[in-house]
C-alpha cells in the first residue's frame, strides 16, 4: 500500500515526478546512494520523531545527524525516535521507505536546511526499493514543510555502512 500511496500522491500533486524503483534495497543511506548512483549526502532521509505528544517528520541530508539540542529548541521538547511498529502504523511506510509523501496520517513535515546544499535530492518513496529525484524546495512545497535547522552535517567518511 505504501508505494501505491506515494504513486497516488505524485499522480495528484506532481505528475511530472516519477517514482523510480531499484532491484536492490535502498533501506539505508549507504544502500540508497549505491542504488541510485548519488553520494550519500544527497539521500534525503526521513526521521520519524515523537516530541512530547506530537509526531513529526524531519527530512534531512543523508550524511547529517540530528542535533538533540537544536530539535529540543525548535520543537519545545526532547525528541524520541518512533519504534518500528509505530513508524508503519503512523506513516503507512515501512522503515527504510519512510518519506513525507502519501502518508497514512497527516503529519507536520520539516525539511532541514542541510538539504539546501543540493539541487536534487533522493528521498525514499514508500518502500525499501523506491525513491524519487526532486529539488529540496519542490519537496518542501509539495509536503507543506517548514524549513528548520536541527541537524549537523557530517563528512561522507563519518557515515558508516549498515551491518
Amino acid at each position: 500500500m505504501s508505494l501505491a500511496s506515494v504513486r497516488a500522491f505524485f499522480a495528484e500533486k506532481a505528475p511530472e515526478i516519477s517514482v523510480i524503483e531499484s532491484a536492490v534495497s535502498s533501506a539505508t543511506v549507504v544502500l540508497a546512494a549505491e542504488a541510485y548512483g548519488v553520494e550519500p549526502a544527497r539521500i534525503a532521509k526521513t526521521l520519524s520523531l515523537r516530541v512530547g505528544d506530537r509526531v513529526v517528520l524531519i527530512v534531512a541530508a543523508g550524511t547529517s545527524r540530528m542535533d538533540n539540542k537544536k530539535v529540543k529548541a525548535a520543537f519545545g521538547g526532547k525528541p524520541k525516535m518512533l519504534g518500528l511498529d509505530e513508524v508503519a502504523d503512523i506513516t503507512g511506510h515501512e522503515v527504510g521507505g519512510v518519506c513525507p509523501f502519501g502518508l497514512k496520517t497527516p503529519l507536520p513535515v520539516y525539511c532541514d536546511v542541510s538539504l539546501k546544499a543540493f539541487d536534487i535530492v533522493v528521498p525514499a518513496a514508500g518502500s525499501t526499493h523506491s525513491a524519487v529525484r526532486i529539488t529540496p524546495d519542490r519537496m518542501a512545497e509539495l509536503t507543506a514543510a517548514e524549513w528548520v535547522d536541527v541537524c549537523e552535517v557530517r563528512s561522507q567518511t563519518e557515515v558508516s555502512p549498515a551491518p
Side-chain angles (χ1 to χ4, degrees):
M1 160 191 154
S2 186
L3 177 57
S5 71
V6 173
R7 286 189 192 281
F9 174 91
F10 283 110
E12 178 187 335
K13 298 183 181 294
E16 74 283 3
I17 297 173
S18 299
V19 173
I20 48 179
E21 292 188 74
S22 169
V24 297
S25 175
S26 55
T28 67
V29 168
V30 172
L31 291 174
E34 290 172 7
Y36 301 110
V38 298
E39 66 269 29
R42 266 188 206 274
I43 299 301
K45 63 183 176 184
T46 302
L47 307 171
S48 310
L49 306 173
R50 184 176 306 282
V51 182
D53 59 355
R54 310 178 356 171
V55 173
V56 300
L57 299 181
I58 298 174
V59 186
T63 54
S64 67
R65 176 183 219 136
M66 186 175 66
D67 181 320
N68 286 328
K69 288 180 183 173
K70 287 182 176 183
V71 173
K72 190 173 183 178
F75 296 101
K78 184 177 178 181
K80 182 180 178 206
M81 296 293 283
L82 293 184
L84 294 178
D85 293 339
E86 282 184 298
V87 170
D89 286 347
I90 294 171
T91 68
H93 304 320
E94 63 185 305
V95 171
V98 176
C99 63
F101 318 112
L103 296 168
K104 178 179 175 182
T105 307
L107 295 169
V109 176
Y110 298 88
C111 288
D112 185 73
V113 294
S114 59
L115 296 170
K116 289 190 176 250
F118 305 100
D119 55 344
I120 298 288
V121 293
V122 184
S127 78
T128 58
H129 289 76
S130 62
V132 295
R133 294 181 190 273
I134 191 168
T135 68
D137 286 336
R138 183 76 165 127
M139 179 170 54
E141 174 192 333
L142 289 171
T143 61
E146 186 179 318
W147 287 98
V148 293
D149 180 2
V150 294
C151 292
E152 60 185 59
V153 177
R154 299 181 296 166
S155 71
Q156 306 239 0
T157 56
E158 291 180 84
V159 178
S160 58

